[in-house]
């Protein structure tokens, strides 16, 4: 459960993929940013975290996508009404020295590396 501190006997790991995970989690992007903190104990300091998430940036969705998003959110398959690529960028910036977020339509692709020394839980929101 990535919403809790992740504990495994193996590690530390050099990479973790979060493709299609964040938009399925409840809460705001700030709440979802906790995932990076929860993974940190099992990752090397120079680990790379990458993936994609569906975002609701203004202008990124056509009429069919807006309808599909509404249905998927109502059914609780996803929770991304307020998720934006800027909010994702902010959460990565709080935790990583290096990160890139690239939005293509309604998908934000991201890659981040080198955890900051302080970690997300010690940064100001």
């Amino acid at each position: 459960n990535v919403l809790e501190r992740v504990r495994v006997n193996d590690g530390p790991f050099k990479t973790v993929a979060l493709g299609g995970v964040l938009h399925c989690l409840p809460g705001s992007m700030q709440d979802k940013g906790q995932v990076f903190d929860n993974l940190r104990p099992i990752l090397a300091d120079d680990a790379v975290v990458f993936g994609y998430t569906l975002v609701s940036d203004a202008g990124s969705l056509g009429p069919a996508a807006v309808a599909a998003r509404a249905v998927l959110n109502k059914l609780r398959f996803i929770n991304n009404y307020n998720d934006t690529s800027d909010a994702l960028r902010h959460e990565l910036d709080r935790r990583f020295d290096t990160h890139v977020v690239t939005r293509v339509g309604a998908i934000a692709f991201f890659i981040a590396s080198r955890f900051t020394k302080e970690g997300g839980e010690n940064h100001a929101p």
Side-chain angles (χ1 to χ4, degrees), residues 2-3 10 15 17 27 41-42 44 47 72 78 80 83 85 88 93 98 110-111 113 117 120:
V2 293
L3 294 176
D10 296 328
T15 60
I42 66 167
L72 292 172
I78 64 173
N80 76 331
D83 293 356
S85 53
L88 173 60
D93 189 51
T98 304
F110 62 92
I111 185 166
S113 63
K117 288 184 176 70

Side-chain angles (χ1 to χ4, degrees), residues 12-65:
F13 296 98
K14 298 286 280 178
T15 60
V16 65
L18 292 173
V21 174
L22 297 178
H23 61 255
C24 295
L25 300 175
S28 67
M29 189 57 78
Q30 184 176 3
D31 298 327
K32 296 171 187 189
Q34 185 67 37
V35 168
F36 304 114
D37 300 328
N38 294 342
L39 290 169
R40 187 173 185 162
I42 66 167
L43 295 175
D45 286 340
D46 61 344
V48 175
V49 178
F50 64 97
Y52 67 89
T53 188
L54 299 175
V55 293
S56 297
D57 291 16
S60 66
L61 302 175

Side-chain angles (χ1 to χ4, degrees), residues 85-98:
S85 53
D86 282 342
L88 173 60
R89 196 173 287 110
H90 175 76
E91 294 307 313
L92 294 172
D93 189 51
R94 292 179 62 215
R95 294 165 173 89
F96 296 92
D97 289 337
T98 304

